[in-house]
Amino acid sequence: MEKKTEDYLLNVENLHVSFFTNQMWIKAVDGISFCLKRGKVTGVVGESGSGKSVTALTLMGLLPESGARTEAGSILFKPGETNLDILHMKPEEKKHYRGRHMSMIFQEPMTSLNPVMRCGKQVMEVLQQHEGLSPKAAADRTIRLFEEVRLPRVHDIFKSWPHQLSGGQKQRVMIAMAIACRPALLIADEPTTALDVTVQKAVLELLRELQQQYNMSVLFITHDLAVVRHIADDILVMYHGKIVESGSCDTVFREASHPYTRGLLACRPGMGIRPGRLPGVGDFTEGTEASALPPESAEERQTRLETIYRQAPLMKLEDVSVSFPLKKNWLGHTLQTLQAVDSVSISVFPGETLGLVGESGCGKTTLGRAMLALIAPGGGKITAAGQQLDKSGKKQLRSLRKQFQIIFQDPYSSLNPRISIGACLTEPLLVHKVVRHAKQARERAHELLEKVGLTHEHYYRYPHEFSGGQRQRICIARALSLQPRFIICDESVSALDISIQAQILNLLNDLKEAFGFTYVFISHDLSVVRYMSDRIVVMKDGRIVESGDADQICANPASAYTRSLVEAIL
């Protein structure tokens, strides 16, 4: 990419950013230089820790006053005729330009929106602060912005609290807030992470339309190259605080020269041939040969599946329904309910991986928790290992739960921040009396850590000391601790970097091969589900709309809903 053009909006030269931690300065951004063209979308791609979000916060002037420093470089911003050096602007000047001339869509809308302020009021505040509009004029403009970002029932959402909106709706409110003053520069920091594939595609199309409508420059930050390909004109690839590759979108995808870029392109599951093993970024950056396994042939797959489906089901659901109360009267009587799962029947066979796919709110997580008796079904019958769950007492359920485990979506919130990883792994061993004493539990915990690619040195550390991928490995180790037969993976890779996702998917398949596990793999990403699964069940509004062989469903979906999921894959 050119360092400078006549029609540039932002020019960054030799930028260094460091943070003070563990009694020393750690460099997060290491001498990067790039130029943003006016009216173009530039994608910044890299894994967590590569420096891309730190770069965005530096541009916005949002780095903490203590504990962070910019050691060299310049950031020239040209919204009009004059150049502004952002690094040398006074705080009052930064406040004036931030929100009016440059704005940011943050990664997590739920934590970025004020939970105790109605959505409309939050957008009005930006307009009143930067444009001095009256309350009525600001409210009218906010309604028009909500219509521009295609929110439904705009007057209702104007008066709604953030927790009353879906993830996609909250993200659209954030977009409305960011474009309220029609900024010259819009920074979008992972704006589609963990969104459903259909919602993700809609948000990307909306951002592209708004960018063209207002002729904005957009800096789009993500860890997913497929997302960037859908929206960006130019690409910057960041690795360990440096820009290792840059160029037009077409050039980078067609002729990627840096090993790190080639690794990012290779490790995402595709909808074509299913490889025996996903390549990792390390296979490219470290110059090692990928430990790739040849794809399973059609004949081998058919033989394996016939063997699996000749067995009796390990778990069987018959007409299972689950509902939640939405509204109660003062006596506690339910006036309104939400039917989360509606008469679902599924059989899961020993040794298979059953994919459960659908958008947020379709009932897949509720169904998964009902399988483990974590939620009591309102109707139907669930049989696990020959035992009917709704007829089982506490003692029987406790025994069954040693065989049936779950890996939750968010590894950080599912680990106790107050206890070490060692205590997290030894606790279930001692509670269920799998081992006799603490020494055996510690030895077993060391073995579990090694199985998931960690070491015994991690035993005494706490959850906050690990990366997202490492925390997910710890959750997998905890699920393995009781030697289960059946594991539910609930969106267990949805928020991970693409390269870390590939590692976790490979690990899950390796463990299945070694221990003969049965998986229910829950996700909204059909490409990941297709890679992992033998069969796929597609859910919508609490019901099954389609089920069958994973390859057949992805190649020839029978329902319009499944086709929309396939078409939304980027």
Side-chain angles (χ1 to χ4, degrees):
M1 180 180 291
E2 312 141 71
K3 290 288 179 66
K4 201 165 187 176
T5 69
E6 290 184 3
D7 196 26
Y8 76 92
L9 176 70
L10 187 82
N11 192 65
V12 178
E13 293 285 353
N14 195 30
L15 179 65
H16 296 257
V17 182
S18 298
F19 292 93
F20 191 73
T21 180
N22 295 329
Q23 305 302 311
M24 61 187 299
W25 287 98
I26 304 296
K27 190 159 286 189
V29 176
D30 190 6
I32 66 170
S33 300
F34 65 93
C35 173
L36 289 188
K37 299 172 186 175
R38 198 178 298 275
K40 298 292 183 182
V41 179
T42 299
V44 183
V45 187
E47 298 173 283
S48 298
S50 64
K52 55 189 190 299
S53 290
V54 173
T55 301
L57 292 173
T58 306
L59 299 181
M60 289 288 293
L62 292 175
L63 289 178
E65 293 183 4
S66 61
R69 70 183 183 192
T70 52
E71 299 164 331
S74 66
I75 303 173
L76 299 180
F77 182 51
K78 190 180 179 182
E81 294 300 319
T82 58
N83 279 328
L84 305 169
D85 190 343
I86 290 176
L87 292 182
H88 297 96
M89 290 172 69
K90 296 178 180 178
E92 296 77 16
E93 293 176 306
K94 288 181 182 179
K95 186 177 179 181
H96 172 73
Y97 280 93
R98 189 168 52 228
R100 182 175 179 82
H101 296 289
M102 61 170 71
S103 62
M104 189 166 180
I105 304 168
F106 293 95
Q107 180 170 354
E108 176 47 63
M110 191 62 227
T111 55
S112 302
L113 292 171
N114 189 332
V116 295
M117 186 183 290
R118 296 183 190 272
C119 294
K121 187 71 174 175
Q122 298 192 49
V123 181
M124 285 176 59
E125 188 178 51
V126 175
L127 293 165
Q128 291 175 291
Q129 175 75 28
H130 291 288
E131 297 195 359
L133 298 185
S134 67
K136 185 180 186 309
D140 291 342
R141 175 86 73 83
T142 299
I143 291 294
R144 290 199 298 273
L145 284 166
F146 282 178
E147 289 171 345
E148 278 189 45
V149 299
R150 293 197 287 278
L151 279 164
R153 310 180 319 279
V154 291
H155 293 280
D156 292 334
I157 287 181
F158 183 91
K159 296 180 288 187
S160 297
W161 305 98
H163 72 271
Q164 296 176 304
L165 307 185
S166 69
Q169 289 171 341
K170 285 195 283 278
Q171 197 61 283
R172 287 170 188 266
V173 171
M174 283 293 300
I175 293 170
M177 191 185 305
I179 67 168
C181 298
R182 301 186 180 182
L185 172 62
L186 175 65
I187 300 173
D189 187 7
E190 300 272 12
T192 60
T193 298
L195 292 179
D196 294 333
V197 287
T198 50
V199 177
Q200 172 180 264
K201 186 176 181 181
V203 168
L204 291 176
E205 290 173 351
L206 172 63
L207 282 173
R208 191 55 157 162
E209 287 176 18
L210 292 170
Q211 179 267 328
Q212 292 172 349
Q213 179 180 341
Y214 294 125
N215 195 34
M216 292 184 293
S217 294
V218 176
L219 191 69
F220 191 97
I221 298 170
T222 183
H223 62 261
D224 191 342
L225 271 168
V227 170
V228 167
R229 188 174 198 171
H230 192 78
I231 192 172
D233 301 300
D234 300 308
I235 294 179
L236 306 172
V237 181
M238 291 192 69
Y239 181 56
H240 290 172
K242 296 179 180 290
I243 294 176
V244 296
E245 186 152 9
S246 63
S248 70
C249 188
D250 291 340
T251 301
V252 171
F253 273 87
R254 188 177 62 250
E255 304 168 2
S257 59
H258 196 276
Y260 180 69
T261 311
R262 295 202 301 271
L264 288 178
L265 288 167
C267 62
R268 181 183 174 89
M271 293 296 282
I273 296 174
R274 182 195 284 112
R277 188 178 188 83
L278 292 171
V281 168
D283 297 325
F284 294 83
T285 58
E286 297 168 13
T288 58
E289 290 295 324
S291 51
L293 299 174
E296 187 179 38
S297 69
E299 294 76 17
E300 291 171 335
R301 177 179 171 81
Q302 182 65 28
T303 302
R304 180 174 61 82
L305 294 182
E306 285 176 356
T307 302
I308 287 174
Y309 298 131
R310 279 199 294 265
Q311 306 171 87
L314 178 60
M315 179 171 285
K316 189 173 183 180
L317 286 70
E318 301 172 75
D319 293 323
V320 171
S321 296
V322 181
S323 61
F324 297 103
L326 287 180
K327 189 176 180 181
K328 294 185 178 182
N329 63 15
W330 63 278
L331 292 173
H333 298 149
T334 299
L335 301 177
Q336 186 179 357
T337 61
L338 170 68
Q339 195 70 36
V341 176
D342 191 2
S343 300
V344 168
S345 298
I346 301 174
S347 293
V348 187
F349 294 84
E352 83 163 327
T353 298
L354 177 71
L356 202 54
V357 70
E359 296 175 288
S360 297
C362 70
K364 56 188 188 297
T365 293
T366 301
L367 185 63
R369 295 190 177 197
M371 289 180 179
L372 301 185
L374 298 175
I375 293 175
K381 177 180 174 184
I382 302 177
T383 306
Q387 189 169 317
Q388 191 170 335
L389 293 187
D390 58 327
K391 299 288 180 67
S392 301
K394 289 185 179 180
K395 186 176 289 187
Q396 291 172 308
L397 279 177
R398 184 171 177 177
S399 175
L400 269 177
R401 286 201 173 113
K402 292 168 65 175
Q403 303 178 51
F404 296 83
Q405 291 290 308
I406 185 168
I407 302 168
F408 292 101
Q409 177 173 357
D410 183 357
Y412 192 78
S413 63
S414 59
L415 293 171
N416 188 335
R418 296 183 178 183
I419 66 173
S420 68
I421 297 310
C424 169
L425 295 178
T426 56
E427 182 182 47
L429 296 169
L430 296 170
V431 167
H432 287 278
K433 299 179 181 178
V434 175
V435 295
R436 293 182 179 179
H437 46 72
K439 183 181 178 182
Q440 283 184 326
R442 187 168 59 252
E443 291 171 352
R444 174 68 176 149
H446 288 167
E447 292 173 10
L448 289 167
L449 288 171
E450 290 176 3
K451 280 179 182 175
V452 298
L454 299 173
T455 70
H456 65 276
E457 295 174 357
H458 295 118
Y459 182 90
Y460 295 101
R461 297 185 189 176
Y462 287 79
H464 71 273
E465 299 180 84
F466 294 89
S467 68
Q470 288 174 321
R471 282 195 287 266
Q472 196 60 283
R473 289 172 181 268
I474 292 163
C475 290
I476 292 171
R478 184 176 60 181
L480 298 180
S481 62
L482 299 178
Q483 300 176 331
R485 300 169 60 189
F486 180 99
I487 298 176
I488 292 178
C489 305
D490 185 10
E491 298 276 14
S492 52
V493 297
S494 64
L496 298 178
D497 290 336
I498 294 297
S499 58
I500 304 300
Q501 174 181 282
Q503 293 175 22
I504 298 300
L505 296 179
N506 286 336
L507 173 63
L508 290 171
N509 279 333
D510 291 344
L511 293 170
K512 179 184 177 183
E513 183 71 24
F515 300 103
F517 291 138
T518 300
Y519 289 138
V520 171
F521 196 90
I522 299 173
S523 180
H524 61 259
D525 189 338
L526 199 53
S527 62
V528 172
V529 173
R530 185 253 179 189
Y531 172 73
M532 291 294 292
S533 303
D534 301 310
R535 277 191 304 142
I536 288 178
V537 172
V538 182
M539 289 188 68
K540 184 177 187 294
D541 298 331
R543 291 178 173 271
I544 294 175
V545 297
E546 189 168 356
S547 65
D549 180 81
D551 290 347
Q552 186 174 351
I553 280 187
C554 291
N556 299 294
S559 73
Y561 178 69
T562 309
R563 282 196 298 275
S564 71
L565 293 179
V566 173
E567 290 166 0
I569 296 172
L570 300 176

